[in-house]
């Protein structure tokens, strides 16, 4: 019997290191989101990227390092979205719905990368917990800043209110997605924003602040 030669894996196209890293992260994101951290295998990630395992390990020494690199990107996207939302207007009446919109857009984004941040099966890993907590605190601090400027509350009270609003946006947007978008996204954002704004505007305005969030 004549032995049939094994089909060799086609050599992957040689890419600059940054491009290869992006390619590997893209493949890993798909696997981690679909399977979670514990079920994901480096073999499958390498195969999904069309590279050998040694190539994958040249960029990431282990599965945890690969996951943390993805998590860093994901939390940066969230913080950036909230920052952009708050900077999009000087009117606090508009800042509140913009904040909710940032979270709704984030959880409904392509690829479901929010699951790496809020639904990870590695949440007890200190390095993961630290990154997620830092992202939530950064978002809450940005929100509390405009509350502190405009409402007659102490710094500690503003921090608590900021965290509560971010928590409402996070939990509300994830719940909305879990209902398979039972109501329109814009309506869901507006419902939560109205609830939050009615609460925030009940505090007396800080000296020099106007009801629209502007200052003298």
């Amino acid at each position: 019997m004549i032995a049939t030669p094994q089909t060799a894996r086609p050599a992957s196209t040689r890419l600059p290191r940054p491009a290869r890293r992006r390619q590997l992260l893209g493949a890993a994101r798909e696997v981690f989101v679909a399977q979670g951290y514990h079920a994901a295998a480096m073999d499958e990630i390498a195969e999904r990227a069309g590279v050998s395992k040694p190539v994958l390990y040249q960029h990431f020494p282990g599965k945890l390092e690969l996951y943390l690199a993805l998590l860093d990107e994901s939390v940066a996207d969230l913080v950036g979205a909230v920052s952009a939302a708050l900077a999009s207007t000087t009117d606090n009446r508009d800042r509140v719905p913009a904040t909710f919109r940032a979270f709704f857009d984030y959880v409904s984004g392509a690829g479901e990368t929010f699951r790496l941040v809020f639904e990870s099966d590695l949440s007890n890993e200190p390095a993961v917990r630290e990154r997620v907590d830092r992202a939530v605190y950064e978002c809450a601090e940005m929100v509390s800043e405009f509350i502190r400027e405009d409402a007659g509350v102490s710094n500690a009270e503003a921090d608590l209110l900021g965290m509560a609003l971010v928590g409402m946006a996070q939990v509300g947007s994830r719940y909305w997605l879990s209902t398979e978008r039972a109501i329109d996204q814009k309506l869901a954002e507006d419902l939560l924003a109205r609830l939050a704004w009615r609460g925030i505007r009940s505090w007396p305005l800080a000296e020099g602040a106007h009801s629209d969030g502007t200052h003298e």
Side-chain angles (χ1 to χ4, degrees):
M1 179 180 295
I2 301 175
T4 303
Q6 292 185 339
T7 302
R9 175 196 292 265
S12 59
T13 305
R14 191 170 188 84
L15 294 175
R17 188 172 182 83
R20 177 67 75 195
R21 179 183 171 87
R22 288 194 300 272
Q23 178 197 35
L24 296 174
L25 287 173
R29 184 179 299 108
E30 294 175 1
V31 175
F32 281 131
V33 167
Q35 301 185 17
Y37 177 83
H38 294 294
M42 294 292 271
D43 283 333
E44 182 177 356
I45 293 170
E47 183 176 351
R48 182 74 61 94
V51 302
S52 64
K53 277 183 68 177
V55 170
L56 179 57
Y57 281 111
Q58 286 173 11
H59 291 262
F60 303 98
K63 187 165 73 166
L64 178 59
E65 290 77 10
L66 178 53
Y67 189 88
L68 292 177
L70 277 173
L71 186 59
D72 285 337
E73 286 191 350
S74 298
V75 298
D77 288 344
L78 174 60
V79 173
V82 173
S83 177
L86 294 173
S88 66
T89 177
T90 58
D91 187 338
N92 286 342
R93 185 185 295 272
D94 294 330
R95 277 193 177 120
V96 173
T99 301
F100 282 98
R101 190 176 312 117
F103 273 88
F104 273 80
D105 287 346
Y106 181 73
V107 303
S108 61
E112 298 188 330
T113 56
F114 80 95
R115 298 189 188 280
L116 299 174
V117 180
F118 296 126
E119 298 179 4
S120 173
D121 59 349
L122 197 63
S123 58
N124 290 330
E125 165 63 41
V128 172
R129 187 78 262 149
E130 187 274 333
R131 283 165 167 80
V132 174
D133 287 347
R134 185 175 69 241
V136 172
Y137 282 124
E138 286 184 20
C139 292
E141 174 58 29
M142 288 187 286
V143 172
S144 67
E145 184 176 344
F146 77 77
I147 295 175
R148 186 180 300 113
E149 290 175 353
D150 297 326
V153 297
S154 68
N155 288 344
E157 290 169 335
D159 290 341
L160 178 60
L161 291 170
M163 182 61 73
L165 194 148
V166 165
M168 185 190 301
Q170 178 203 143
V171 174
S173 59
R174 289 169 57 203
Y175 172 76
W176 166 79
L177 192 65
S178 75
T179 66
E180 298 183 351
R181 313 179 194 219
I183 61 177
D184 179 74
Q185 178 176 336
K186 180 65 166 57
L187 175 58
E189 295 167 5
D190 288 346
L191 285 171
L192 293 181
R194 285 169 60 192
L195 175 64
W197 177 248
R198 285 180 179 179
I200 292 173
R201 72 178 181 180
S202 66
W203 274 275
L205 293 175
E207 184 177 354
H210 301 294
S211 59
D212 62 358
T214 59
H215 292 77
E216 294 178 354

